[in-house]
Amino acid sequence: MFSTIPDVLDQREIEELRGIAARAAFIDGRASAPGAPLKNNLVVGDRGLLERSAQIVADALFRNEDFRVLAFPKAMMPPILTRYGAGMYYGTHVDAAFMPHPGRSLRSDLSCTVFLSDPADYEGGALVVRLGTEEVRLRAPAGAAIVYPSTTLHRVEEVTRGERLVALTFIESRIADAERRDLLHELKEIGAIAGPAMDIDTYTRLQRVEENLFRRWADPD
Ligand SMILES: O=C(O)CCC(=O)C(=O)O
Ligand SMILES: [Fe+2]
Protein backbone atom coordinates (compact mmCIF):
# COMPACT_ATOMS: atom_id res chain seq x y z
CA MET A 1 0.00 0.00 0.00
CA PHE A 2 2.53 2.60 1.16
CA SER A 3 6.11 1.56 0.94
CA THR A 4 9.36 3.24 1.73
CA ILE A 5 12.17 1.68 -0.25
CA PRO A 6 15.55 2.64 1.20
CA ASP A 7 18.71 3.31 -0.82
CA VAL A 8 17.15 3.49 -4.26
CA LEU A 9 19.81 6.06 -5.14
CA ASP A 10 23.43 5.55 -4.14
CA GLN A 11 25.55 8.37 -2.73
CA ARG A 12 27.13 9.20 -6.09
CA GLU A 13 23.70 9.57 -7.70
CA ILE A 14 22.40 11.70 -4.84
CA GLU A 15 25.42 13.99 -5.27
CA GLU A 16 24.98 14.22 -9.03
CA LEU A 17 21.28 15.06 -8.68
CA ARG A 18 21.98 17.67 -6.00
CA GLY A 19 24.61 19.11 -8.35
CA ILE A 20 22.08 19.28 -11.20
CA ALA A 21 19.60 21.03 -8.89
CA ALA A 22 22.28 23.53 -7.87
CA ARG A 23 23.03 24.46 -11.51
CA ALA A 24 19.54 24.25 -12.99
CA ALA A 25 17.06 27.03 -13.51
CA PHE A 26 13.79 26.10 -11.83
CA ILE A 27 10.40 27.13 -13.17
CA ASP A 28 6.92 27.21 -11.65
CA GLY A 29 5.73 23.62 -11.12
CA ARG A 30 2.34 24.52 -12.53
CA ALA A 31 3.95 24.38 -15.99
CA SER A 32 3.70 20.58 -15.80
CA ALA A 33 0.17 20.66 -14.37
CA PRO A 34 -1.81 23.47 -15.94
CA GLY A 35 -4.95 24.25 -14.02
CA ALA A 36 -3.50 22.99 -10.75
CA PRO A 37 -3.86 26.04 -8.52
CA LEU A 38 -2.93 23.95 -5.50
CA LYS A 39 0.52 23.26 -6.82
CA ASN A 40 3.19 25.54 -5.43
CA ASN A 41 6.63 24.12 -6.16
CA LEU A 42 9.44 24.47 -8.69
CA VAL A 43 10.59 22.04 -11.36
CA VAL A 44 13.83 21.95 -13.36
CA GLY A 45 13.26 24.05 -16.46
CA ASP A 46 16.44 23.18 -18.31
CA ARG A 47 15.64 20.37 -20.75
CA GLY A 48 19.08 18.71 -20.82
CA LEU A 49 19.39 18.68 -17.04
CA LEU A 50 15.81 17.48 -16.64
CA GLU A 51 16.49 14.57 -19.00
CA ARG A 52 19.74 13.63 -17.26
CA SER A 53 18.13 13.73 -13.81
CA ALA A 54 15.14 11.73 -15.06
CA GLN A 55 17.48 9.08 -16.47
CA ILE A 56 19.37 8.68 -13.20
CA VAL A 57 16.20 8.30 -11.13
CA ALA A 58 14.37 6.02 -13.59
CA ASP A 59 17.41 3.72 -13.94
CA ALA A 60 17.76 3.54 -10.16
CA LEU A 61 14.11 2.60 -9.68
CA PHE A 62 14.08 0.00 -12.46
CA ARG A 63 17.18 -1.77 -11.12
CA ASN A 64 15.77 -1.94 -7.58
CA GLU A 65 14.38 -5.39 -6.84
CA ASP A 66 12.11 -4.18 -4.02
CA PHE A 67 10.58 -1.63 -6.37
CA ARG A 68 10.11 -4.18 -9.15
CA VAL A 69 8.24 -6.72 -7.00
CA LEU A 70 6.16 -3.96 -5.46
CA ALA A 71 5.18 -2.03 -8.57
CA PHE A 72 5.60 -4.56 -11.41
CA PRO A 73 6.40 -1.52 -13.57
CA LYS A 74 5.29 -1.47 -17.17
CA ALA A 75 5.98 2.20 -17.90
CA MET A 76 7.13 5.20 -15.92
CA MET A 77 6.80 8.94 -16.45
CA PRO A 78 10.20 10.65 -16.62
CA PRO A 79 10.90 11.60 -12.98
CA ILE A 80 10.77 15.37 -12.50
CA LEU A 81 13.32 17.01 -10.25
CA THR A 82 11.26 19.25 -7.99
CA ARG A 83 12.12 21.76 -5.30
CA TYR A 84 9.89 22.95 -2.47
CA GLY A 85 11.50 25.99 -0.85
CA ALA A 86 10.24 27.63 2.33
CA GLY A 87 6.56 28.54 1.94
CA MET A 88 5.94 25.97 -0.82
CA TYR A 89 3.44 23.12 -0.65
CA TYR A 90 1.14 21.02 -2.82
CA GLY A 91 -2.52 21.10 -1.78
CA THR A 92 -4.80 18.07 -1.55
CA HIS A 93 -5.35 16.49 -4.97
CA VAL A 94 -5.64 13.20 -6.80
CA ASP A 95 -3.19 12.42 -9.57
CA ALA A 96 -4.52 12.39 -13.14
CA ALA A 97 -5.60 8.92 -14.28
CA PHE A 98 -3.80 9.16 -17.63
CA MET A 99 -0.65 11.06 -18.44
CA PRO A 100 1.00 11.85 -21.78
CA HIS A 101 3.72 9.32 -22.53
CA PRO A 102 5.59 8.68 -25.80
CA GLY A 103 3.45 6.54 -28.08
CA ARG A 104 0.41 6.31 -25.85
CA SER A 105 -0.84 7.64 -22.55
CA LEU A 106 0.27 6.10 -19.28
CA ARG A 107 -2.26 5.06 -16.64
CA SER A 108 -0.98 6.17 -13.27
CA ASP A 109 -1.36 3.28 -10.82
CA LEU A 110 1.39 4.26 -8.43
CA SER A 111 2.94 7.58 -7.51
CA CYS A 112 6.49 7.82 -6.32
CA THR A 113 8.56 10.44 -4.49
CA VAL A 114 12.33 9.92 -4.47
CA PHE A 115 14.07 11.98 -1.80
CA LEU A 116 17.24 14.00 -2.42
CA SER A 117 17.01 16.00 0.79
CA ASP A 118 17.33 14.47 4.22
CA PRO A 119 14.48 15.05 6.68
CA ALA A 120 16.86 17.19 8.76
CA ASP A 121 17.33 19.58 5.79
CA TYR A 122 13.81 20.98 6.11
CA GLU A 123 10.83 21.39 8.40
CA GLY A 124 7.25 20.71 7.32
CA GLY A 125 7.01 19.22 3.84
CA ALA A 126 5.53 15.85 4.88
CA LEU A 127 3.74 13.90 2.16
CA VAL A 128 0.31 13.30 3.64
CA VAL A 129 -1.86 10.55 2.15
CA ARG A 130 -5.51 10.24 3.10
CA LEU A 131 -6.74 6.78 4.01
CA GLY A 132 -10.44 6.77 4.86
CA THR A 133 -10.87 9.03 7.87
CA GLU A 134 -7.14 8.90 8.68
CA GLU A 135 -4.02 10.50 7.27
CA VAL A 136 -0.63 8.87 6.82
CA ARG A 137 2.30 11.27 7.10
CA LEU A 138 5.36 10.22 5.19
CA ARG A 139 8.98 11.37 5.24
CA ALA A 140 12.06 9.50 4.14
CA PRO A 141 15.85 9.85 4.07
CA ALA A 142 17.80 10.99 1.02
CA GLY A 143 18.05 8.18 -1.52
CA ALA A 144 14.80 6.52 -0.43
CA ALA A 145 11.61 6.30 -2.46
CA ILE A 146 8.05 6.38 -1.18
CA VAL A 147 5.56 4.55 -3.39
CA TYR A 148 1.83 5.04 -2.84
CA PRO A 149 -1.38 4.50 -4.80
CA SER A 150 -2.15 7.24 -7.34
CA THR A 151 -5.82 6.71 -6.49
CA THR A 152 -5.51 8.41 -3.09
CA LEU A 153 -6.06 12.02 -2.06
CA HIS A 154 -2.72 13.40 -0.97
CA ARG A 155 -0.85 16.64 -0.35
CA VAL A 156 2.53 18.01 0.63
CA GLU A 157 2.55 20.21 3.71
CA GLU A 158 4.13 23.62 3.52
CA VAL A 159 7.88 23.64 3.95
CA THR A 160 8.54 26.05 6.80
CA ARG A 161 12.36 25.92 6.80
CA GLY A 162 15.02 24.72 4.39
CA GLU A 163 14.44 22.94 1.14
CA ARG A 164 12.73 19.71 0.13
CA LEU A 165 14.35 18.41 -3.06
CA VAL A 166 12.63 15.37 -4.61
CA ALA A 167 12.10 13.60 -7.91
CA LEU A 168 8.49 12.77 -8.72
CA THR A 169 7.18 10.08 -11.00
CA PHE A 170 4.13 7.95 -11.80
CA ILE A 171 4.09 4.31 -12.73
CA GLU A 172 1.81 2.14 -14.81
CA SER A 173 1.90 -1.34 -13.36
CA ARG A 174 1.70 -4.58 -15.31
CA ILE A 175 -0.96 -5.52 -12.75
CA ALA A 176 -3.73 -2.94 -12.96
CA ASP A 177 -5.68 -4.22 -9.97
CA ALA A 178 -4.20 -2.96 -6.70
CA GLU A 179 -5.46 -5.91 -4.65
CA ARG A 180 -3.92 -8.45 -7.03
CA ARG A 181 -0.69 -6.46 -7.14
CA ASP A 182 -0.55 -6.46 -3.37
CA LEU A 183 -1.20 -10.21 -3.14
CA LEU A 184 1.52 -11.03 -5.66
CA HIS A 185 3.94 -8.74 -3.88
CA GLU A 186 3.19 -10.51 -0.61
CA LEU A 187 3.71 -13.92 -2.17
CA LYS A 188 7.01 -12.85 -3.71
CA GLU A 189 8.22 -11.45 -0.39
CA ILE A 190 7.25 -14.60 1.48
CA GLY A 191 9.06 -16.64 -1.17
CA ALA A 192 12.16 -14.48 -0.79
CA ILE A 193 12.13 -14.74 3.03
CA ALA A 194 11.13 -18.39 3.50
CA GLY A 195 12.34 -19.80 0.16
CA PRO A 196 15.89 -20.62 1.26
CA ALA A 197 14.54 -22.73 4.14
CA MET A 198 12.06 -24.68 1.97
CA ASP A 199 12.79 -28.03 0.40
CA ILE A 200 13.18 -27.74 -3.33
CA ASP A 201 9.85 -29.33 -4.20
CA THR A 202 7.86 -26.97 -1.96
CA TYR A 203 9.78 -24.01 -3.32
CA THR A 204 9.06 -25.08 -6.88
CA ARG A 205 5.36 -25.37 -6.07
CA LEU A 206 5.40 -21.85 -4.64
CA GLN A 207 7.02 -20.65 -7.85
CA ARG A 208 4.26 -22.36 -9.82
CA VAL A 209 1.63 -20.41 -7.88
CA GLU A 210 3.53 -17.14 -8.41
CA GLU A 211 4.08 -17.66 -12.12
CA ASN A 212 0.53 -18.76 -12.81
CA LEU A 213 -1.03 -15.86 -10.93
CA PHE A 214 1.29 -13.59 -12.86
CA ARG A 215 0.21 -15.26 -16.10
CA ARG A 216 -3.46 -14.67 -15.24
CA TRP A 217 -3.16 -11.14 -13.89
CA ALA A 218 -0.28 -9.30 -15.52
CA ASP A 219 -0.16 -7.48 -18.85
CA PRO A 220 2.83 -8.23 -21.04
CA ASP A 221 5.61 -5.62 -20.95
O1 LIG B 1 6.14 16.07 -3.61
C1 LIG B 1 5.59 15.00 -3.40
O2 LIG B 1 6.05 14.16 -2.59
C2 LIG B 1 4.29 14.62 -4.10
C3 LIG B 1 3.96 15.50 -5.27
C4 LIG B 1 2.64 15.14 -5.92
O3 LIG B 1 1.71 14.76 -5.27
C5 LIG B 1 2.49 15.22 -7.38
O4 LIG B 1 3.43 15.68 -8.06
O5 LIG B 1 1.42 14.83 -7.89
FE1 LIG C 1 0.21 13.95 -6.54
Side-chain angles (χ1 to χ4, degrees):
M1 186 92 220
F2 307 95
S3 300
T4 303
I5 307 173
D7 302 321
V8 166
L9 299 169
D10 63 29
Q11 204 52 43
R12 194 183 46 77
E13 291 164 330
I14 295 171
E15 294 308 329
E16 183 172 350
L17 289 162
R18 285 177 177 168
I20 289 174
R23 311 205 278 291
F26 279 78
I27 58 169
D28 189 334
R30 272 169 293 205
S32 69
L38 301 169
K39 190 168 181 182
N40 177 0
N41 59 19
L42 298 169
V43 298
V44 166
D46 182 317
R47 182 179 259 284
L49 293 179
L50 189 61
E51 280 173 8
R52 172 69 189 145
S53 59
Q55 191 68 52
I56 296 169
V57 177
D59 287 352
L61 283 166
F62 275 120
R63 73 167 183 248
N64 186 286
E65 178 68 8
D66 290 342
F67 173 74
R68 278 190 278 132
V69 300
L70 178 82
F72 301 98
K74 179 174 180 170
M76 186 189 291
M77 291 298 285
I80 299 179
L81 194 53
T82 305
R83 166 182 277 162
Y84 295 74
M88 294 185 187
Y89 57 87
Y90 197 155
T92 304
H93 65 281
V94 66
D95 297 326
F98 288 93
M99 302 184 174
H101 194 258
R104 58 173 189 88
S105 58
L106 173 148
R107 185 192 60 235
S108 60
D109 295 315
L110 293 163
S111 305
C112 176
T113 301
V114 179
F115 289 81
L116 299 166
S117 304
D118 262 314
D121 298 340
Y122 58 95
E123 273 164 28
L127 171 63
V128 182
V129 182
R130 202 180 291 181
L131 193 60
T133 57
E134 308 304 311
E135 288 190 324
V136 184
R137 308 167 75 77
L138 304 157
R139 284 168 151 269
I146 291 179
V147 182
Y148 60 101
S150 305
T151 51
T152 57
L153 285 178
H154 56 276
R155 66 192 158 94
V156 176
E157 287 180 339
E158 182 178 330
V159 171
T160 53
R161 181 192 62 79
E163 172 184 285
R164 177 184 189 264
L165 188 64
V166 290
L168 304 172
T169 189
F170 305 90
I171 298 116
E172 180 173 316
S173 176
R174 295 179 64 184
I175 304 174
D177 183 82
E179 192 83 25
R180 290 178 175 180
R181 197 185 316 124
D182 178 57
L183 288 171
L184 254 183
H185 173 233
E186 190 67 357
L187 207 53
K188 287 220 173 258
E189 288 235 305
I190 291 166
I193 294 164
M198 287 179 187
D199 66 80
I200 185 69
D201 188 54
T202 310
Y203 184 64
T204 308
R205 288 171 65 189
L206 177 65
Q207 280 187 317
R208 174 169 173 263
V209 175
E210 277 178 18
E211 288 307 315
N212 286 321
L213 288 177
F214 201 63
R215 193 173 273 119
R216 292 174 83 91
W217 292 346
D219 298 333
D221 261 332

